[in-house]
Amino acid sequence: MADTLLDDVGDLLWEAADQIVLPLFRKLDEADVSEKAPGEVVTVADRRSEELISAGLRRLRPGSTVVGEEGVADDPGLLRHLRDSGDVWLVDPVDGTANFAAGRRPFALMVALLTDGRPAAGWILDPLAGTLAAAWGEDRTLLNGQPVEDAGAGPPVGELRGAAMTQFLPPETRDRVRAGGRRLGELLPGQHCAGREYLDILTGEQQFALFWRTLPWDHAPGALLVRAAGGVARRFDGTDYDPADDGRGLLVAASEQVWTEVRDALLTP
């Protein structure tokens, strides 16, 4: 059932991408884009994609609950379902909406399945790159159907490459991160698409990513995928990431060793 579900949800994400998201890329009218919160835009593609994906997920698991990014924007009370018993889906119908609305890449479609409040499966699709990552539990991660190799120890400190989303960090932490980045190797500013950051860790393009805001639909899929590939996704204090926890700060790394090295360089006074 797990293998079938991996394929079925992956097919559903491709369906949403092919039927809704890609046809609207660089073809949005002014009326197709609105502001749902200060500095945060939503497009007709987000809403239509979430409707299609949500309906498909309910068909795959009758009786399950869907908590989608746009649904929560309309009804924040939906977040209470993250600790429900049974199956709860988290949906990010277009991750990287600001990029998408501006006609830029990357953007992604993401889904996570929580069972009895715990992450059970995750999917990330970058339709322009043709990359689909999927994992059931934390046994293995598949990238376009092929198992992702465990990253192992990774490059030495001084040759690490990763992203730090510093915009929303507290000023003291931001200054520490920027200063510490010089000891690591290459510190990137981020791509405004959490899904792509996770995919780049899985493909080896980078070894870590640091976030401050940790909305569940942005990180539940990727955190599970990275863990299933032998990586680590933890809060700054070292506790494992929990999508139902509304805390701040998340450091994701391709291995335990990389996580410790990056934490020491960027977050330790």
Side-chain angles (χ1 to χ4, degrees):
M1 178 61 181
D3 289 337
T4 300
L5 191 68
L6 283 186
D7 291 340
D8 290 343
V9 176
D11 290 344
L12 182 61
L13 291 181
W14 269 117
E15 180 183 352
D18 289 339
Q19 293 188 13
I20 296 170
V21 178
L22 293 178
L24 286 167
F25 183 49
R26 295 177 177 163
K27 295 180 181 176
L28 294 170
D29 295 327
E30 185 175 339
D32 294 332
V33 183
S34 59
E35 191 174 64
K36 63 180 179 181
E40 291 191 41
V41 297
V42 61
T43 74
V44 65
D46 295 83
R47 298 192 185 281
R48 292 178 183 172
S49 176
E50 184 163 307
E51 290 172 1
L52 187 153
I53 293 169
S54 298
L57 294 174
R58 292 189 183 101
R59 287 194 299 271
L60 290 173
R61 284 288 174 94
S64 60
T65 301
V66 177
V67 178
E69 178 178 4
E70 307 316 327
V72 171
D74 295 333
D75 179 10
L78 290 173
L79 288 171
R80 71 184 182 277
H81 293 297
L82 296 187
R83 295 200 183 278
D84 282 358
S85 59
D87 293 328
V88 177
W89 301 97
L90 279 164
V91 177
D92 192 337
V94 180
D95 178 54
T97 297
N99 290 343
F100 181 83
R104 298 190 303 264
R105 60 193 306 169
F107 53 87
L109 292 76
M110 305 198 293
V111 167
L113 173 64
L114 310 183
T115 299
D116 298 330
R118 304 299 302 168
W123 297 260
I124 297 177
L125 171 66
D126 179 339
L128 290 179
T131 304
L132 174 65
W136 181 266
E138 296 190 2
D139 296 332
R140 61 176 181 170
T141 295
L142 301 177
L143 202 61
N144 289 340
Q146 299 301 312
V148 175
E149 296 289 335
D150 191 311
V157 175
E159 297 179 18
L160 292 172
R161 186 174 192 267
M165 277 48 75
T166 60
Q167 178 181 0
F168 299 105
L169 288 171
E172 182 179 343
T173 305
R174 184 188 309 126
D175 292 343
R176 187 178 302 134
V177 167
R178 288 173 175 169
R182 291 190 286 270
R183 301 198 299 272
L184 289 176
E186 188 174 5
L187 190 65
L188 307 170
Q191 303 173 73
H192 305 287
C193 175
R196 190 64 245 180
E197 303 293 351
Y198 283 103
L199 289 175
D200 282 355
I201 292 174
L202 295 173
T203 62
E205 289 293 316
Q206 60 190 32
Q207 289 78 49
F208 67 90
L210 183 147
F211 307 91
W212 181 244
R213 298 200 301 179
T214 57
L215 294 167
W217 42 81
D218 284 335
H219 297 285
L224 183 141
L225 290 165
V226 167
R227 286 170 176 164
V232 178
R234 296 188 185 131
R235 298 289 186 183
F236 293 173
D237 64 2
T239 56
D240 283 336
Y241 171 71
D242 180 348
D245 172 13
D246 61 358
R248 301 277 184 161
L250 178 64
L251 177 58
V252 183
S255 69
E256 184 79 42
Q257 179 177 328
V258 171
W259 192 91
T260 300
E261 291 169 344
V262 174
R263 191 235 359 230
D264 290 347
L266 300 185
L267 298 172
T268 303

